[in-house]
Amino acid sequence: RMADTEDDDGRLRMDAAEEQRLKAAVHYAVGEIVSQQQEAEGLEFTKQFIAALTETTYRMFGTMAADLEAFAKHGKRATIGMDDVKLLARRKAEVLRAIEEMAESMAAADSDKRASKKAKKAQAAAP
């Protein structure tokens, strides 16, 4: 659970323990990905490389989170939406394409759920 403290810009900030847990989770995930690459490519990566990649990843996602927050705030919304994520990815065509495919897939799944619920309601209401 994130701390309910806000900075001067009104953004939520986590306490030191929460930030440490998050960094540890990022370090673990980066380590897993690096291990997979080591096996697949037959490469060796040093612990210093993994630590640097972890820190870079952590900072990059912090920046991305702040950008997403700014996009939503600019749109006078309290919730970050799919359009904000697409806006963030606009300069990376491959990433944007993957996000758009995921959004379409999610929308189709949501539509299927709604249709299923409607059918169940209609079936339950039928004599």
Side-chain angles (χ1 to χ4, degrees):
R1 169 171 134 42
M2 288 188 64
D4 289 2
T5 57
E6 293 184 4
D7 65 7
D8 294 337
D9 295 330
R11 289 187 289 207
L12 291 176
R13 292 288 168 218
M14 57 185 121
D15 64 28
E18 288 172 317
E19 185 170 11
Q20 199 60 32
R21 282 193 297 275
L22 182 57
K23 280 187 176 184
V26 171
H27 183 76
Y28 176 79
V30 168
E32 288 294 306
I33 293 167
V34 168
S35 291
Q36 290 171 5
Q37 289 300 308
Q38 282 179 303
E39 289 177 22
E41 305 293 330
L43 300 171
E44 290 290 321
F45 298 101
T46 65
K47 289 181 181 180
Q48 292 86 358
F49 169 79
I50 295 170
L53 185 57
T54 296
E55 186 63 28
T56 301
T57 302
Y58 184 81
R59 288 181 185 208
M60 185 176 81
F61 280 109
T63 300
M64 291 168 66
D67 288 347
L68 288 168
E69 211 172 22
F71 296 157
K73 186 175 181 180
H74 178 76
K76 296 176 178 43
R77 290 176 275 104
T79 304
I80 294 169
M82 186 60 73
D83 287 339
D84 299 316
V85 176
K86 289 178 184 178
L87 183 60
L88 181 70
R90 71 190 179 279
R91 292 187 182 144
K92 304 283 185 200
E94 187 175 318
V95 173
L96 181 58
R97 202 170 20 258
I99 289 170
E100 287 173 338
E101 288 172 10
M102 184 185 302
E104 288 171 10
S105 174
M106 290 169 65
D110 189 44
S111 178
D112 289 347
K113 281 183 184 177
R114 286 186 190 149
S116 177
K117 281 183 181 179
K118 263 188 177 176
K120 284 180 184 178
K121 268 188 179 178
Q123 189 177 28

